[in-house]
Structures are given as C-alpha cells and as structure tokens.
Amino acid sequence: MLKKSSRRSAALIGFVSVVAAAIAVAGIATAAGPAGGSLPSSVTVSKDPCVLSGKKVSGTISVVTSGGPIEEIMKKVYFDPFAKKCGVKFKYSSPQSLAKVQAMVRAKRVTWDLTDQSSTDYWIGAKAGLWQPLPKGLFKGIRMAPGSVAKYGAWAGPYAYIFTWKQSSFPNGGPKTAADIFDTTKYPGARCLARSAAPALELAMLANGYDFRRKPYTIDIDAALAKLDQLKPSVKMWWTSGNQPIDGLRSGECVISQVFNGRVFGATNDGDKLGFTYGASLIDVSWYYLIKGGPNPWGSAALLRFILSPQQQARYANAFGYAGGALDATKYMTPAAKASLASNPKNIAASGGFVDSRWWLANRDRAERAFEAWVQK
Amino acid sequence: MAVSKRLRRNAGALLAVPAVLLVVAVILIPMGMVAKDALRSDGTWSLDNFRAVFTEPPYSQVFRNTIEMSLEITILCLALALPVALAASRRGGRFAAVVILLIATSFWVSLLVRTYGWFIVLGHSGPIARAGRALGVDIELLYTRPGTLIAMVNVMLPITCLPLIGFALRAIDWTLVDAAEALGARRLRVLFRVLLPQLYPGLLASAVLTFIVSLGFFVTPQLIGSPRDTMIAQTIYLELNELYDTPRASAVSLTLLALIVVVAAVYFAVVVLVRRRARRFERELTREAFA
C-alpha cells in the first residue's frame, strides 16, 4: 500500500504530466502552418529556370525520393544543378510514402514539396486534396507527350514489370508472351516474381487470354489467382526489393525474373547479357506531384519544370532507362537508353496494353489482400 | 511551515516528472490516437476493423504464422543459450566475460547487415548450397522456413543469452551439483533435478523476452523468408504503406499489442504464483521444523 503523501504526489505527477504533454502536443500542432505563399492558377516562364512569373525562387526545397542510387543520380542530374543555378537548398527524404503525405496533410504540417508516386495515387491524392494543381503554363515551351501532364501531376516515367533472363539460358530465344511464362516445359527454370498484386494478376489475365487493348481494363481476381496456382510451384522467389530479381539471375536462383524495366537497362550497362520481353506486361506510369501546403511551392514548381526539361530528362534516362513526357529528350539519349524506355513505341507495341489505375482505385484493398492471402498459402 | 514540509517531501517525487512526461507524450497519447484510428470506419465509431482482423484473410493466417515462428525461435534460442549459460556459470570469471563479449559483438552489428550476410550465406551461390551441390544434395535455405529461422535465431540469440547468462552467474549454486554428484546422481538427473530448477526463473524470463521481441520481426522474414513465412509487422507495413489503410493497420497493431500484453500478464501471473507457493512451502517447512 502506498503512503498517503506519496499517493498524493503520484497524482500530482500524473496531473502535471498530462497537462504539460497536452500543451506540448497542442503547441506542435499549432506551430505549423503553410508558409512561402501558395501557387497561382497560372504562371509565366522565362529562359531562366529560377524565375516563375517574374519571381525568383529561394529557400529550401524538400524532395522525396526512393533513396539509394536513384537519389544519387537525381542529385547529380536534377537537384545539384538546380541548387547551383538558383541558389536554393535541398532537403532529402526517402522513401516515398503516400501514407506519410496523408498524415502530413491531415495534421496540417506538410514538410515535403515534391514526390513521385504511382498512378493510383493520382486519384487518391486528387480526391483527398493532397496534390497541388499544377499552374497553367508551367511547361510552356517544352513539347510534352499527350497525356503526360495532367491537373495534379506530370509523368515521372512510364514503366513496366517485364520478364528477363540470361541469354545463355535460352540460346534459341526466350519467352515472348504470358502463356510462355506459364510454359515450364518449353521454358524450364525457376521464376522470380514481384510480391505485388498488380503485376501478378495482370500476368494471369494475359495468360488467360484477356485482351487489354480491346476491352476495358479489369481483373477477375478469382480467375487470375486460379491461373496463378499453375505457376506457383515454379516460383522460387516472390521479391520485395527491386534488386532481388537481378541478383537472383546472377546467382542462379532465378532463371526468369519479373523486374522493373529499368533494371534490365542497369544490368546490361553492368555487362550482363540479358534477354527480355514486354509481351507479358502492361505499362503503368509513375507521376511527379507537388504536395499541397508544402513549405516551398514556388521553388518546387520551378524545380519540376527544370526536371522535365529535355536535357535533364535525357541525362536521367541515360543513367536509369526511364524518362517522363518531354518528347525532345530522346534527341539527347543514347540508343540503349531509348530502347529501354517503356514509352518506346516498339515496347508499347510488344506489351499487353496499359494499366487503368481507376480500377485499382476502386479495388486495390480487395485485390491486394486476396493476393496476399493467396501468396502466403 | 506545513506547506514547505510537504513540498520538501514531494520534491523527490517531482524528479520523476520528466520521465513520466516523456512516457505520456511519446507513448500514451500516440497510442490513444492509434486506438481512436482503429475504432473509426467511414467516419463513424465501429468495431469493423477489428472484426476484419479476426475474420478476414490474410490476418488470422499471419497471426498464426507469427506466433508459430516466434515459438520456434524461442525454443531454438533457449536450446542454444542453455549450454552456454551453464558453461559460463560453471567456469565463471574470465571465461564468462569472454563469452558475454563474443555474444555482445554480434549484437553490435546492424540487423540489416546481418540479414544481408545471411542472404549471401544461405543463397544459391553461398557456401552451404555449394557444399551441398558438391556432395550431390540440394540444400536450398534462402526463401525457406528453416533458412529464415536460422537468420532470426542468429538475431535473437544475444537477447536470449545475455539475461540468461547473467541469471546463471548469480543464481546457480554449483555446490549443490557437487553434492548431487557425490551422492551418485547421474548427469541428466543433475541437469533436470538440480540445475534446471535453479535456472528456471531465468529461463522463463529469457523465453518471454525472446518470444515478445520475435513477434515484431520485419526485415528478416521480408528478405529471407518466403511469403509463407510472413509475420505481422509485414502485414502492418502493407496496410500502411501500400493500401494506406491507417485504421486497419492500427487495428492489426493493437491486436499484436494485446497479444504481447496477454503473454506478459501470463508471465507475471506465473511468477507471482510460483513465488507465493515457494513462500507457503517455506512456511510449512519452518512449521514442521519447530513442531
């Protein structure tokens, strides 16, 4: 039993602590607020990338990347040159997370300016008011691919989960279609697939003969999972990190790997002799978004224009094999980089078509959870 | 006068305010927010998220996995830690210090580095698989349950070992072992009737600690394990970072927390019961001695 005095002091401590903590939390919540002034609905641009509507950008721009080698390249081709030219500073965070953006917007304390996210996030963010509408005229003077600039964002890059293998594994030519990926007698060997609902279910839909080019994008989850049952015994690894499938090819763990298309470009640059096909894949796009209420809206808008300029896009593509919508960027690209772009007409023609992220907006939870339950069995 | 006297008496207690404040601010308030999140669904209060966690795939499956794997880790860790603790306690001194230092060294290497190390060791071109191929057997450990367990036991072993060694050094009275041996007890009998009863509170504490910490594994099963070895932290990550379903993620987290609280409560109940029984036994002994 506690003594009376110590019981009283315990109560006192409790009371003081709760009050002080409440004050601290309230203080944190109110101290934040949008700064730097919001963007107008349209801007004028000039030759100087540091000036928007006659206003010179300044301060610190807070960008989010996936970190690692990609952030290093982005620094080299986008952020460092922009910092040098315009006298701004950069703050880096990684990895991208829509959950964090949502939490920031909900808490009215947004510390990020620019991020790249999936195409489904376009609709989620548009609905939840996470994205800053891009001012009209921001990309004036840059020839952009049709559809690559929208109200709430601009293409960071089209991409696909393509299939790749060592050329030595299939000297007479590797698989070309989704049905070939399922054909383990004609193309024997361990498969390494992404542990993600979209690429797996799309592969199964293509193997089931669904024509995404002629019919509206949809996925029959049960039928797709039933089809994947056939492939499952041959799947050696369900990868969760983008370097695993290429490492798996190198170590011999995997014979056919499902990878982000840029990884094939990277591995080929490193000397690997790989074959690949777009024939068992759909093409999706990741987008750049300005986050609403971010600390430096003017700076990040000017930065986005700089990033999407043809020269910068080409430098990025030459390093990673991805590029956004600036059409003239191809003029400055190496032939290998050009060949690796998911938006290359040859690759688009070979692919099964395009992802419609509105289906995912409506069905993502259901599909992702069903896939998880299936893959864990 | 009275006020200053009371103040003086309470001044010591006030020293605890910063720590309590920290706990309230960084644990209790955020936990309250998580709980509130979990109980919201489509803008109203409801238990839907918890209902889903208990009835819908993949959660029950993942919880079963998590408990199963944590138990396996705990048993393996105890089996490995017990001989080490006994040896350290028997030899004592410099030997025990070196053992503790060696175990602690592996504790200082980052979890991620160790996991990637296992990645190489267990992988297709690693030493184990290569040795297996040379002998004509296929030993594939990467992306399997045994491989995942090996890596996780390696991570958890210091957490099992260090408290157990500490306890063994303090608690084992080796003169009892000598006495038992002098009276003709065989080795196994000494282990089960003399050593383990002395060590058992330490074993229990280490087991509970290992089990509870194991429940939160993320990196190792994510990288080394197959989807069949999915643990609950991975599901929380999926809900939060892929599906952006914070309420569902909160409900899963709180269910995990409840599991941990239950395990801890059972542990404390056992400790209290045993202590009470021991005291009663002692009283009876004294009564008999004086009867």
Side-chain angles (χ1 to χ4, degrees), chain B residues 150-164:
Chain B
I150 291 173
M152 294 200 289
V153 164
N154 169 254
V155 172
M156 292 307 296
L157 208 48
I159 292 174
T160 321
C161 266
L162 293 176
L164 190 63

Side-chain angles (χ1 to χ4, degrees), chain B residues 258-278:
Chain B
L259 178 67
I260 291 171
V261 168
V262 167
V263 172
V266 168
Y267 167 68
F268 283 117
V270 167
V271 168
V272 168
L273 267 180
V274 166
R275 203 172 286 162
R276 204 173 289 167
R277 249 181 56 187

Side-chain angles (χ1 to χ4, degrees), chain B residues 113-191:
Chain B
V113 171
R114 268 190 286 171
T115 302
Y116 269 101
W118 281 112
F119 212 77
I120 295 163
V121 173
L122 301 173
H124 191 79
S125 47
I128 299 173
R130 242 184 245 185
R133 276 197 293 275
L135 296 169
V137 276
D138 206 17
I139 313 174
E140 297 277 342
L141 287 170
L142 194 59
Y143 312 122
T144 65
R145 174 67 65 94
T148 317
L149 286 178
I150 291 173
M152 294 200 289
V153 164
N154 169 254
V155 172
M156 292 307 296
L157 208 48
I159 292 174
T160 321
C161 266
L162 293 176
L164 190 63
I165 292 176
F167 186 84
L169 284 174
R170 261 183 295 121
I172 297 183
D173 182 353
W174 286 93
T175 56
L176 293 179
V177 175
D178 295 339
E181 274 172 353
L183 292 172
R186 285 206 203 98
R187 292 241 148 151
L188 273 183
R189 204 176 162 81
V190 171
L191 178 67

Side-chain angles (χ1 to χ4, degrees), chain A residues 5 8 13 17 20 97-99 102 121 195 236-238 240 251-253 364 368-369 373 375-377, chain B residues 6 9 13 20-21 59 61-62 124 140 143 222 227-228 230 238-245 248:
Chain A
S5 67
R8 202 182 299 138
I13 293 167
S17 308
S97 159
L98 194 77
Q102 280 175 324
D121 294 347
R195 186 172 173 179
K236 179 80 178 291
M237 174 219 292
W238 292 94
T240 52
S251 72
E253 207 107 43
R364 172 145 75 169
E368 205 69 64
R369 285 179 189 132
V375 80
Q376 286 175 27
K377 268 193 207 117
Chain B
R6 194 192 303 157
R9 205 189 300 139
V20 175
L21 201 70
Y59 311 108
Q61 203 173 304
V62 184
H124 191 79
E140 297 277 342
Y143 312 122
Q222 180 88 356
R228 278 195 195 93
T230 303
L238 174 82
E239 294 294 342
L240 204 58
N241 270 313
E242 304 286 332
L243 302 178
Y244 318 133
D245 195 339
R248 187 66 63 85

Side-chain angles (χ1 to χ4, degrees), chain A residues 210-231:
Chain A
Y210 191 81
D211 187 350
F212 285 97
R213 288 177 179 278
R214 302 241 166 99
K215 294 190 215 161
Y217 182 100
T218 187
I219 284 169
D220 180 341
I221 297 174
D222 293 336
L225 290 177
K227 179 72 185 172
L228 283 171
D229 277 336
Q230 296 171 12
L231 191 61

